[in-house]
């Protein structure tokens, strides 16, 4: 086996593993499969962590994970698939950042790892053992990598930024409410 063949096999394994995990997580959100909570439950969770409206946020995350993961596994439209999955994982990481890095403490380690793997695949390409290669790379042109990541970065920045502003405003309102309660209690 030549090194070129090993690279293609390695990319296939990485695509299948990363894409499979992402697709499974997405179907938990969309359909409640694999012990997931479906759109209703995931939507409620999304609202609780600041992604409003929750059901639309759950749908977007589920589609990015399911679609991006499936396309990565197939090696089809790899730049767009990897960028979509990476964007979803950036949104998930934002939720976990306050808990630190490691997953066992509720940190962002797992989401970051999936996002980096998806990014790496989008940049490296899908290899010869892929639908992109079989179709002559119609959906995997060089210019598509920066375009997909620019679009994903812009959307992710808007969504995560809006979430962060919403959470900050809620914290400020809560602090102001506590201050007013203390003033009323002490008669100041």
């Amino acid at each position: 086996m030549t090194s070129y063949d090993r690279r293609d096999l390695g990319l296939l394994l990485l695509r299948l593993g990363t894409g499979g995990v992402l697709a499974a997580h997405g179907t938990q959100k969309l359909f409640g499969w694999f012990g997931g909570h479906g759109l209703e439950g995931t939507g409620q969770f999304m609202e609780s962590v600041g992604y409003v409206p929750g059901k639309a946020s759950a749908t977007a995350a589920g589609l990015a994970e399911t679609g991006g993961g499936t396309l990565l596994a197939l090696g089809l439209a790899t730049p767009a698939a990897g960028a979509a999955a990476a964007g979803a994982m950036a949104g998930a990481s934002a939720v976990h950042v306050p808990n630190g890095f490691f997953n066992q403490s509720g940190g962002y380690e797992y989401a970051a790892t999936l996002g980096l793997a998806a990014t790496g695949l989008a940049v490296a390409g899908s290899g010869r053992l892929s639908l992109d290669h079989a179709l002559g790379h119609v959906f995997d042109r060089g210019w598509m990598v920066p375009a997909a990541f620019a679009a994903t970065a812009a959307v992710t920045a808007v969504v995560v930024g809006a979430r962060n502003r919403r959470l900050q405003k809620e914290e400020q309102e809560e602090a102001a409410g506590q201050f007013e309660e203390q003033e009323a209690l002490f008669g100041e």
Side-chain angles (χ1 to χ4, degrees):
M1 188 178 268
T2 67
S3 62
Y4 193 70
D5 293 332
R6 287 178 37 211
R7 179 183 177 274
D8 292 324
L9 182 57
L11 287 170
L12 173 65
L13 293 172
L14 187 57
R15 285 192 353 257
L16 290 174
T18 304
V21 168
L22 285 162
H25 277 281
T27 61
Q28 286 181 310
K29 290 172 181 64
L30 293 174
F31 311 118
W33 296 355
F34 309 113
H37 300 286
L39 285 176
E40 289 300 322
T42 304
Q44 291 171 6
F45 170 75
M46 295 291 242
E47 290 245 358
S48 77
V49 296
Y51 287 114
V52 177
K55 194 168 182 180
S57 298
T59 302
L63 288 173
E65 291 174 12
T66 303
T70 300
L71 290 172
L72 279 176
L74 295 171
L76 181 62
T78 304
M89 292 302 99
S93 292
V95 171
H96 296 283
V97 162
N99 300 321
F101 178 70
F102 291 104
N103 191 50
Q104 74 237 26
S105 302
Y108 63 95
E109 170 188 19
Y110 184 66
T113 300
L114 286 174
L116 288 170
T119 299
L121 287 165
V123 171
S126 55
R128 291 187 303 170
L129 302 173
S130 67
L131 288 178
D132 277 337
H133 181 75
L135 296 173
H137 296 278
V138 175
F139 304 108
D140 182 20
R141 304 276 186 214
W143 63 268
M144 293 175 179
V145 174
F149 278 104
T152 299
V155 170
T156 302
V158 168
V159 170
V160 173
R163 172 195 177 262
N164 291 345
R165 286 188 298 281
R166 190 175 300 108
L167 292 177
Q168 187 176 38
K169 182 180 177 187
E170 288 174 8
E171 287 175 8
Q172 289 170 347
E173 289 172 354
E174 184 178 323
Q178 289 174 351
F179 180 74
E180 289 173 7
E181 285 177 19
Q182 287 179 353
E183 271 189 336
L185 183 65
F186 295 110
E188 295 179 13

